[in-house]
mmCIF file of all heavy atoms in Angstrom:
data_model
loop_
_atom_site.group_PDB
_atom_site.id
_atom_site.type_symbol
_atom_site.label_atom_id
_atom_site.label_comp_id
_atom_site.label_asym_id
_atom_site.label_seq_id
_atom_site.Cartn_x
_atom_site.Cartn_y
_atom_site.Cartn_z
ATOM 1 N N VAL M 234 69.034 12.526 -24.165
ATOM 2 C CA VAL M 234 68.913 12.315 -22.725
ATOM 3 C C VAL M 234 69.819 13.304 -22.003
ATOM 4 O O VAL M 234 71.021 13.352 -22.245
ATOM 5 C CB VAL M 234 69.294 10.864 -22.353
ATOM 6 C CG1 VAL M 234 69.206 10.676 -20.855
ATOM 7 C CG2 VAL M 234 68.398 9.878 -23.084
ATOM 8 N N GLN M 235 69.241 14.109 -21.129
ATOM 9 C CA GLN M 235 69.999 15.093 -20.369
ATOM 10 C C GLN M 235 69.983 14.701 -18.897
ATOM 11 O O GLN M 235 68.945 14.333 -18.352
ATOM 12 C CB GLN M 235 69.369 16.487 -20.544
ATOM 13 C CG GLN M 235 69.188 16.907 -21.994
ATOM 14 C CD GLN M 235 70.506 17.076 -22.707
ATOM 15 O OE1 GLN M 235 71.460 17.592 -22.126
ATOM 16 N NE2 GLN M 235 70.577 16.631 -23.951
ATOM 17 N N THR M 236 71.137 14.776 -18.247
ATOM 18 C CA THR M 236 71.212 14.467 -16.820
ATOM 19 C C THR M 236 71.715 15.687 -16.083
ATOM 20 O O THR M 236 72.424 16.534 -16.627
ATOM 21 C CB THR M 236 72.158 13.283 -16.569
ATOM 22 O OG1 THR M 236 73.463 13.620 -17.058
ATOM 23 C CG2 THR M 236 71.652 12.029 -17.278
ATOM 24 N N CYS M 237 71.324 15.762 -14.842
ATOM 25 C CA CYS M 237 71.700 16.921 -14.040
ATOM 26 C C CYS M 237 71.779 16.485 -12.581
ATOM 27 O O CYS M 237 70.965 15.666 -12.132
ATOM 28 C CB CYS M 237 70.678 18.038 -14.211
ATOM 29 S SG CYS M 237 71.057 19.537 -13.253
ATOM 30 N N ALA M 238 72.720 17.027 -11.859
ATOM 31 C CA ALA M 238 72.880 16.649 -10.456
ATOM 32 C C ALA M 238 71.788 17.253 -9.583
ATOM 33 O O ALA M 238 71.540 16.788 -8.480
ATOM 34 C CB ALA M 238 74.250 17.102 -9.949
ATOM 35 N N LEU M 239 71.126 18.299 -10.097
ATOM 36 C CA LEU M 239 70.086 18.923 -9.302
ATOM 37 C C LEU M 239 68.867 18.022 -9.221
ATOM 38 O O LEU M 239 68.462 17.426 -10.212
ATOM 39 C CB LEU M 239 69.690 20.274 -9.921
ATOM 40 C CG LEU M 239 70.782 21.352 -9.936
ATOM 41 C CD1 LEU M 239 70.298 22.582 -10.677
ATOM 42 C CD2 LEU M 239 71.188 21.715 -8.505
ATOM 43 N N PRO M 240 68.230 17.888 -8.052
ATOM 44 C CA PRO M 240 67.069 17.002 -7.926
ATOM 45 C C PRO M 240 65.826 17.548 -8.605
ATOM 46 O O PRO M 240 64.928 16.810 -8.950
ATOM 47 C CB PRO M 240 66.865 16.898 -6.420
ATOM 48 C CG PRO M 240 67.450 18.159 -5.876
ATOM 49 C CD PRO M 240 68.618 18.482 -6.748
ATOM 50 N N ILE M 241 65.737 18.864 -8.805
ATOM 51 C CA ILE M 241 64.540 19.468 -9.374
ATOM 52 C C ILE M 241 64.951 20.452 -10.464
ATOM 53 O O ILE M 241 65.874 21.254 -10.279
ATOM 54 C CB ILE M 241 63.713 20.218 -8.303
ATOM 55 C CG1 ILE M 241 63.261 19.251 -7.205
ATOM 56 C CG2 ILE M 241 62.512 20.915 -8.928
ATOM 57 C CD1 ILE M 241 62.556 19.938 -6.059
ATOM 58 N N PHE M 242 64.272 20.357 -11.631
ATOM 59 C CA PHE M 242 64.485 21.308 -12.721
ATOM 60 C C PHE M 242 63.227 22.136 -12.859
ATOM 61 O O PHE M 242 62.135 21.605 -13.080
ATOM 62 C CB PHE M 242 64.777 20.571 -14.026
ATOM 63 C CG PHE M 242 64.894 21.485 -15.229
ATOM 64 C CD1 PHE M 242 66.017 22.257 -15.409
ATOM 65 C CD2 PHE M 242 63.852 21.569 -16.146
ATOM 66 C CE1 PHE M 242 66.113 23.093 -16.505
ATOM 67 C CE2 PHE M 242 63.941 22.405 -17.238
ATOM 68 C CZ PHE M 242 65.085 23.182 -17.428
ATOM 69 N N THR M 243 63.335 23.445 -12.702
ATOM 70 C CA THR M 243 62.163 24.319 -12.812
ATOM 71 C C THR M 243 62.444 25.394 -13.853
ATOM 72 O O THR M 243 63.588 25.664 -14.210
ATOM 73 C CB THR M 243 61.845 24.981 -11.464
ATOM 74 O OG1 THR M 243 62.971 25.768 -11.046
ATOM 75 C CG2 THR M 243 61.518 23.955 -10.411
ATOM 76 N N GLY M 244 61.359 26.001 -14.326
ATOM 77 C CA GLY M 244 61.495 27.046 -15.329
ATOM 78 C C GLY M 244 60.848 26.647 -16.632
ATOM 79 O O GLY M 244 60.179 25.624 -16.738
ATOM 80 N N ASP M 245 61.047 27.464 -17.652
ATOM 81 C CA ASP M 245 60.437 27.248 -18.955
ATOM 82 C C ASP M 245 61.449 26.677 -19.931
ATOM 83 O O ASP M 245 62.641 27.002 -19.887
ATOM 84 C CB ASP M 245 59.904 28.574 -19.516
ATOM 85 C CG ASP M 245 58.830 29.180 -18.626
ATOM 86 O OD1 ASP M 245 58.092 28.387 -18.008
ATOM 87 O OD2 ASP M 245 58.737 30.421 -18.559
#
Side-chain angles (χ1 to χ4, degrees):
V234 178
Q235 307 295 320
T236 59
C237 180
L239 295 175
I241 299 175
F242 175 75
T243 60
D245 299 327

